[in-house]
Amino acid sequence: MALIGANGHGAWHRRRILSLGDRVRLVGLADVRPLTPPAPDGVPVFADHRSLLAAVRPDIVVICTPPHTHLSIALDAIAAGCDILLEKPPVASLAAHRTLLAALASAGVACQVGFQALGSEAWVRFRAALPSLGPLSGISAAASWKRDDDYYARSPWAGRRVLDGRPVIDGALANPLAHAVMQALASASAAGAGRPRQLSVERYRTRPIDVDDTAFARITFDSGLDVVVAVTLAGEDFIAGEITASGPAGSAVLEYPTDRLSLPDSATDPARERHPAPAPPAHADARAAAVSAAGTAAGTGTAARAGAGTAAGTGTAAGAGTAAGTAAGAGTAAGAGTGTRAGAGTGTNAGAGAGGYLAAGPAPSLIDVPGRTDLLTNLLDHRASGTPLLVPLSETIDFTTILEALTMPELPPPHLLNSDTVEVDGPNRTITGINAVIRAAASELALPSELGVPWARPPITRRLPVS
């Protein structure tokens, strides 16, 4: 086995390869920079991947290089007869995705993509629970992380869209929080939603970079199901990464980085340790929470997605009687009276007469679900005995569809938030009230501009696929 891209996150892959013991032999490392830490004794180091492939002829290659280099390196590895573990995001366009799939099929080799949370037992249980929720009213992903100035200084391509005249890939949705996007897309696919057909996205930045560090995306599928992803790298309190699927029978929540899970019937499972889930905002509803936290009075909300919903206390997010996948409170797929994002319900996330995220009882508990199949181990098992890959390249095409739309050259730069909105503390940037906005967007399946957030800008909407 060889590793191409052995610095940065590649150091984690080095440790993982060495932990496999006698099952693999590390035969080479490649990186354009001197290795930190140094290579293990006896392992040759190369300055370019082609020299490595020619000299050591590995059976398996792990590719952990900047995303814009993935396609060319992967094609060279395939031509050398290697199976591949390819870090996320795999490639930048559907054309590249299809090129890579064709090369894999022609050579008869395998490619696993490094969305490692899809190897967890918690994900298996979450996915299996989706049918029991009934027709889904929506899926959301929420995460609030913090990345400082050093994060954007770690490499020349970080925070950029173009480097030396070449397009590069970065941004909250495209890179560090790509797992949230992929996990939500995989949930929609598991629910039988079909393919993504429309993207509406709002992108923001807190410093002079070229890409977003805060983003809100709504992805609509063939079935009409909406998936909303609300993430930031300029957060307040830490939200690790939560995927929520809601239907008439309740909500399932997966905290994908930690393998913790809440299902509607999880309270009957005494075998696992429970932890309190993050409490929802103690406001009249999610709109009031978001608008109030962002610095304007609750109750002044703007026109909602379908033009009928208003601010706090109305019980709607898109107008009564709208289509499936909205957060409306009357006569919609959200299920009037069921309590799943509904205005009049009594169950999970229901508000008594309010259309948002007012808790109607104790917050759901999250249980630890041990067990995660390592993707490299899974690739080895696939080679040895035909075990199905957990994340084959073919299963990531929806992610590539979204990534392509987010990285089109004509896409305008993210809106730069000003000092009235962003708190600067040395190398750190924090958007005031951002966590309440993220919670509101996730619970109401709405974008900040639809929630009346004062710094929000109208979304960009694209039909999918864009190419």
Side-chain angles (χ1 to χ4, degrees):
M1 184 177 296
L3 170 61
I4 299 172
N7 280 312
H9 186 56
W12 180 90
H13 282 289
R14 280 198 257 170
R15 294 190 296 271
R16 181 63 194 137
I17 292 168
L18 293 173
S19 75
L20 295 173
D22 294 339
R23 191 165 186 190
V24 300
R25 181 165 58 94
L26 181 60
V27 296
L29 301 169
D31 204 285
V32 297
R33 298 173 295 170
L35 293 195
T36 305
D41 290 343
V43 177
V45 179
F46 301 85
D48 70 274
H49 71 278
R50 291 188 180 93
S51 297
L52 178 149
L53 293 171
V56 303
R57 302 183 63 81
D59 300 307
I60 301 173
V61 168
V62 178
I63 299 174
C64 186
T65 58
H68 60 280
T69 68
H70 284 181
L71 179 62
S72 61
I73 294 174
L75 290 175
D76 288 340
I78 292 167
C82 304
D83 291 321
I84 299 169
L85 175 62
L86 181 62
E87 261 298 349
K88 57 80 187 165
V91 288
S93 70
L94 287 174
H97 197 109
R98 295 181 182 115
T99 295
L100 196 52
L101 284 172
L104 291 166
S106 177
V109 296
C111 178
Q112 178 105 283
V113 181
F115 287 110
Q116 64 263 24
L118 293 173
S120 74
E121 180 62 24
W123 161 244
V124 172
R125 289 184 57 185
F126 178 86
R127 182 181 61 199
L130 294 177
S132 69
L133 302 178
L136 294 185
S137 55
I139 295 171
S140 67
S144 179
W145 292 10
K146 180 82 75 178
R147 292 293 182 266
D148 62 13
D149 290 343
D150 287 345
Y151 176 80
Y152 294 100
R154 74 191 190 279
S155 64
W157 59 270
R160 304 299 166 206
R161 295 181 66 183
V162 177
L163 179 65
D164 298 330
R166 294 181 59 195
V168 297
I169 303 169
D170 203 10
L173 293 170
N175 195 8
L177 288 162
H179 293 287
V181 178
M182 182 64 207
Q183 209 79 25
L185 294 172
S187 300
S189 178
R195 296 294 312 281
R197 296 304 179 190
Q198 181 171 287
L199 170 69
S200 294
V201 62
E202 298 179 18
R203 300 158 56 246
Y204 304 96
R205 52 190 170 139
T206 60
R207 46 174 59 84
I209 54 178
D210 299 338
V211 299
D212 55 83
D213 59 30
T214 300
F216 300 81
R218 182 170 53 231
I219 304 157
T220 304
F221 282 73
D222 284 322
S223 68
L225 180 71
D226 280 345
V227 170
V228 166
V229 182
V231 299
T232 186
L233 301 178
E236 298 167 319
D237 295 336
F238 180 59
I239 302 172
E242 300 168 9
I243 309 299
T244 303
S246 296
S251 295
V253 181
L254 171 66
E255 192 175 76
Y256 68 86
T258 63
D259 298 341
R260 298 198 298 167
L261 181 66
S262 172
L263 300 178
D265 61 349
S266 62
T268 65
D269 178 4
R272 304 191 189 280
E273 181 181 359
R274 281 161 175 73
H275 303 270
H283 289 256
D285 68 1
R287 292 172 180 275
V291 174
S292 176
T296 189
T300 62
T302 61
R305 186 175 167 198
T310 56
T314 65
T316 72
T322 55
T326 69
T332 69
T338 66
T340 56
R341 304 185 195 276
T346 59
T348 305
N349 289 356
Y357 205 87
L358 179 64
S365 61
L366 294 171
I367 60 171
D368 293 318
V369 181
R372 184 179 281 212
T373 300
D374 171 66
L375 297 185
L376 189 53
T377 300
N378 175 241
L379 178 58
L380 291 171
D381 292 342
H382 176 77
R383 285 173 51 88
S385 60
T387 300
L389 293 176
L390 289 170
V391 196
L393 179 67
S394 58
E395 295 297 314
T396 66
I397 194 165
D398 286 350
F399 180 87
T400 301
T401 299
I402 303 303
L403 181 63
E404 180 178 57
L406 292 171
T407 55
M408 296 291 286
E410 63 269 23
L411 198 69
H415 175 61
L416 180 62
L417 299 175
N418 61 33
S419 58
D420 293 337
T421 303
V422 179
E423 177 185 347
V424 179
D425 181 15
N428 294 303
R429 305 286 190 276
T430 303
I431 301 172
T432 303
I434 187 61
N435 279 35
V437 177
I438 286 172
R439 291 290 188 197
S443 68
E444 296 217 25
L445 302 177
L447 304 179
S449 63
E450 299 162 349
L451 293 168
V453 175
W455 44 258
R457 293 296 182 271
I460 295 169
T461 298
R462 294 283 187 272
R463 291 188 61 82
L464 300 174
V466 294
S467 61

